[in-house]
Amino acid sequence: MNRLVAVVSLSCLAVVVACASSNTASKAESQAPAPKPTSSDTSAPIHSLTYMRQGTVLMQQGRYQDALEAFKTADKLAPGNVTNANMMGLCYLSLGQPDQALASFDQVLQIAPQFTDARNNRGATYLSMQQYHLAEVDFIAVLGDSTYPHRRQVYYNLGITYLQRGQLGAAEENFRKSILPPNPVFNGYLQLADLAQRQGEPERALTFLQEANLEFPDQTQVAFEIGKLLMIMGEEEEARLYLEKVVADAPNSSEAATARALLGKG
């Protein structure tokens, strides 16, 4: 459940992972390979942009290695583009290569210290490396940018940082900030419910999950968590409604398998 939130911001391309503020590239662009560079255009920024767009589409498809290759080609065509370097860092992070990700985000921030997305992504990288103090420093610096549009995601990341350090009060405070409108973070509700259960307060946990269900009614996971909790609380009839919904909505999922077992249908 301890998922990080990385952010990618592109002024002229698609925004992926944490939020979307512009349209994705066309379907034809996602299917057709980008043109191979020739000796006459190896330094042309326009060709670099083509590869960046292709890489963004590949990232949205979860094809991080292919996306990374596209961004590397873009970097060869137009070295020093901080947006491209940020994208490369996110690919490395998604591929489980935090050292390379960290190098990319460091490169971005050396050139553009105010690139807030890259700082959040570097914080997420530090967090994945269990370097909690450095993660905290980056996330707090990001929150110092009062104009940053993805503050809810940063509060969530900071909450995870404190949770991993065993600072449950600070973790809860930041998870609460992550679910404030607009654009609450779904996993923030799950973390708050988990903390409440740890503290022996199932009713409070249920309140967080019910709020999540109102905000994200299509999320199967929240119905699953409500069903499990109601079973623990002895509310079996009400629990069945949620668990049966999980089985109906996502019959092949691991949650559905557990739900069937709880329903005595396993």
Side-chain angles (χ1 to χ4, degrees):
M1 195 184 292
N2 296 345
R3 298 176 181 173
L4 309 183
V5 179
V7 178
V8 181
S9 180
L10 296 175
S11 59
C12 56
L13 304 178
V15 177
V16 298
V17 179
C19 61
S21 61
S22 60
N23 293 329
T24 60
S26 67
K27 182 177 180 181
E29 184 178 7
S30 69
Q31 295 175 341
K36 294 184 178 181
T38 66
S39 58
S40 61
D41 65 13
T42 53
S43 62
I46 187 65
H47 293 291
S48 173
L49 183 59
T50 298
Y51 280 97
M52 289 174 67
R53 285 177 174 148
Q54 185 190 44
T56 302
V57 172
L58 290 167
M59 284 185 69
Q60 291 172 323
Q61 296 171 348
R63 297 166 58 186
Y64 298 111
Q65 187 61 54
D66 292 336
L68 180 60
E69 295 306 317
F71 294 131
K72 285 181 176 179
T73 301
D75 187 60
K76 291 178 182 178
L77 291 167
N81 185 310
V82 293
T83 296
N84 192 65
N86 183 52
M87 300 295 279
M88 290 173 62
L90 197 61
C91 285
Y92 283 125
L93 185 58
S94 299
L95 290 166
Q97 301 176 38
D99 290 334
Q100 293 90 329
L102 189 59
S104 294
F105 297 134
D106 281 343
Q107 176 188 347
V108 172
L109 293 169
Q110 287 172 3
I111 299 171
Q114 302 306 314
F115 198 149
T116 311
D117 280 346
R119 191 170 298 281
N120 178 61
N121 293 341
R122 189 175 72 174
T125 305
Y126 281 135
L127 185 49
S128 74
M129 301 169 75
Q130 300 183 357
Q131 297 187 29
Y132 302 127
H133 175 68
L134 292 174
E136 178 187 17
V137 169
D138 267 348
F139 294 143
I140 289 176
V142 171
L143 291 171
D145 180 357
S146 61
T147 65
Y148 190 54
H150 310 308
R151 295 172 66 82
R152 298 291 171 264
Q153 290 89 342
V154 183
Y155 281 123
Y156 177 81
N157 285 346
L158 192 54
I160 292 293
T161 303
Y162 291 129
L163 184 64
Q164 294 299 319
R165 290 164 60 171
Q167 298 174 255
L168 301 188
E172 180 171 345
E173 177 184 354
N174 282 277
F175 290 139
R176 284 183 177 276
K177 291 177 180 178
S178 79
I179 64 171
L180 293 175
N183 304 318
V185 177
F186 173 69
N187 282 319
Y189 291 103
L190 301 187
Q191 294 291 352
L192 286 166
D194 183 64
L195 284 172
Q197 289 187 69
R198 291 194 200 186
Q199 295 163 2
E201 301 179 46
E203 292 83 2
R204 189 161 67 92
L206 183 60
T207 298
F208 286 125
L209 292 174
Q210 289 171 334
E211 288 178 8
N213 198 39
L214 289 173
E215 289 287 342
F216 302 92
D218 296 329
Q219 284 279 0
T220 302
Q221 186 177 359
V222 72
F224 177 63
E225 295 295 335
I226 292 174
K228 287 196 305 178
L229 181 56
L230 287 170
M231 279 288 191
I232 293 171
M233 296 170 67
E235 303 289 343
E236 293 189 12
E237 287 191 18
E238 189 176 356
R240 293 183 71 86
L241 297 175
Y242 288 97
L243 295 174
E244 287 172 354
K245 181 180 183 337
V246 173
V247 173
D249 291 350
N252 298 320
S253 66
S254 60
E255 288 86 356
T258 303
R260 289 189 190 93
L262 291 172
L263 291 166
K265 299 178 180 179

